[in-house]
Amino acid sequence: MLEGGSRRVERPRITIVTASFNQAQFLAETLRSVRNQRRVDVEHIVMDGGSTDGSVDILRANDDALSYWVSAPDGGQPAAWNAGWRRARGEFVGFINSDDLLEPAAVGELIRLADSAPKAEWLVGGTRYFGDAEPLVYPGTPQSSAADVLFFASYAPQPGQFFKRSLIERVGGFDESLQYSFDLDFFVRCALADAISVATESIVAAFRWHGGSKSMSQAGKHLVETRLVEARHWPAVLAKEGRRATRVRATHHGHKALELARDARVAGDSRKGWLLLAMTATAYPSMLRTRAFYGTIQRLLGLHS
């Protein structure tokens, strides 16, 4: 095991935990994005899974900017996050992975948000997507409804979310049996625990799309785990939010079904597309009143690409 970190922070308000494994091509930029916050109340911890690509050399070169770093085999990203937040001393903890970035002045905005709502346990800032995909921007959105969180109706990308350390302790950290949807599982547990969430539209983080990211390279496995998380939490979400949860769930699955119908049309199988459309109308009749439903009909008719 290799470890270091010589920066001492007297009273950290925010701890940034960075999980890393063989991403030396991005790591230095990530570390710089935290260092450039130029604040004395930010603690930065890096949990590296035993990289062999030069990442350790980068960590050593940035030792004076890091409160702690370690490079050793671990149990994957959720294990790294758990080890990181348990070592953290900040009031709030955020997770900026080694291929993502903290935006300039992000910490100042997050602390302003926290100070404006002293009871807040869950800070949500905006996140931009960049890299090998079309740029997207998601403004921060409060996360209050467990149904909205579980079915992405109040979607907020993970890098823009920061949690009171006491909240992470209260809900039990991250499930290390999951490797793809452990963050969603955690978010839903926070919402079920009635965590108080506040948001800012300001962009505080950047999520990098690239071929090596799990979101792109292992999308199928990610989907399987997402469905597992849904099945795990749906009974508690339904019990807590009742009919509203049922409506949110139906809307989510209805839109997913329409996506499959449109995908079939793009693949040249219009018959399958129409069949999926009919199944959507039967299973999710509320979709009949949506623009997405009629837009799918137009695509199947060839009126739109």
Side-chain angles (χ1 to χ4, degrees):
M1 181 175 73
L2 302 171
E3 60 183 341
S6 59
R7 184 168 188 261
R8 298 293 171 257
V9 181
E10 287 294 323
R11 294 182 179 85
R13 289 292 305 276
I14 290 184
T15 298
I16 303 298
V17 174
T18 294
S20 175
F21 183 65
N22 284 339
Q23 290 193 326
Q25 71 269 39
F26 305 130
L27 179 58
E29 186 179 7
T30 299
L31 301 186
R32 187 163 55 250
S33 76
V34 179
R35 187 171 196 160
N36 285 348
Q37 301 295 308
R38 302 188 185 283
R39 295 187 63 101
V40 299
D41 52 0
V42 178
E43 177 183 61
H44 194 186
I45 293 171
V46 180
M47 311 301 296
D48 181 81
S51 295
T52 58
D53 65 345
S55 292
V56 171
D57 292 334
I58 295 172
L59 294 172
R60 284 176 172 148
N62 288 272
D63 189 86
D64 64 337
L66 301 174
S67 294
Y68 179 76
W69 65 265
V70 63
S71 183
D74 57 29
Q77 192 174 337
W81 281 17
N82 277 333
W85 76 258
R86 287 172 182 144
R87 181 174 284 273
R89 295 184 304 117
E91 179 185 2
F92 287 90
V93 182
F95 301 88
I96 302 294
N97 293 322
S98 55
D99 48 359
D100 299 329
L101 303 172
L102 198 61
E103 291 287 85
V107 171
E109 174 63 13
L110 291 164
I111 289 176
R112 181 205 64 76
L113 180 63
D115 288 344
S116 71
K119 293 184 179 180
E121 302 174 280
W122 188 351
L123 311 178
V124 186
T127 299
R128 66 180 176 91
Y129 281 29
F130 72 108
D132 298 339
E134 181 180 355
L136 294 171
V137 174
Y138 291 91
T141 304
Q143 305 293 293
S144 56
S145 159
D148 285 355
V149 173
L150 183 57
F151 298 109
F152 306 98
S154 59
Y155 180 62
Q158 171 269 308
Q161 302 194 45
F162 294 74
F163 306 88
K164 218 166 194 178
R165 187 156 44 90
S166 58
L167 172 63
I168 305 177
E169 293 171 351
R170 179 157 68 94
V171 302
F174 302 95
D175 185 346
E176 295 181 22
S177 72
L178 302 170
Q179 287 297 320
Y180 303 92
S181 294
F182 57 89
D183 51 355
L184 175 62
D185 173 80
F186 174 76
F187 302 157
V188 176
R189 284 187 280 125
C190 287
L192 287 171
D194 295 319
I196 299 172
S197 175
V198 294
T200 173
E201 292 188 356
S202 298
I203 307 303
V204 302
F207 177 90
R208 187 192 307 265
W209 281 105
H210 62 93
S213 67
K214 290 194 295 185
S215 300
M216 292 185 70
S217 64
Q218 301 179 58
K221 293 179 180 179
H222 200 155
L223 178 60
V224 168
E225 278 200 0
T226 298
R227 289 174 174 167
L228 186 156
V229 169
E230 178 185 333
R232 172 186 293 179
H233 291 298
W234 172 242
V237 172
L238 178 61
K240 184 178 180 64
E241 300 183 20
R243 291 182 179 178
R244 184 182 182 283
T246 300
R247 291 195 299 271
V248 173
R249 181 176 184 267
T251 299
H252 172 75
H253 286 294
H255 279 289
K256 289 295 182 183
L258 292 178
E259 285 180 18
L260 291 175
R262 294 192 292 269
D263 289 346
R265 168 68 174 80
V266 171
D269 192 344
S270 293
R271 182 178 180 277
K272 181 179 179 180
W274 285 109
L275 179 61
L276 288 167
L277 184 72
M279 292 172 61
T280 302
T282 301
Y284 309 107
S286 61
M287 297 305 295
L288 290 167
R289 299 187 297 272
T290 66
R291 292 177 60 185
F293 188 86
Y294 288 99
T296 302
I297 290 176
Q298 291 178 323
R299 284 180 172 82
L300 292 173
L301 291 171
L303 300 177
H304 291 293
S305 58

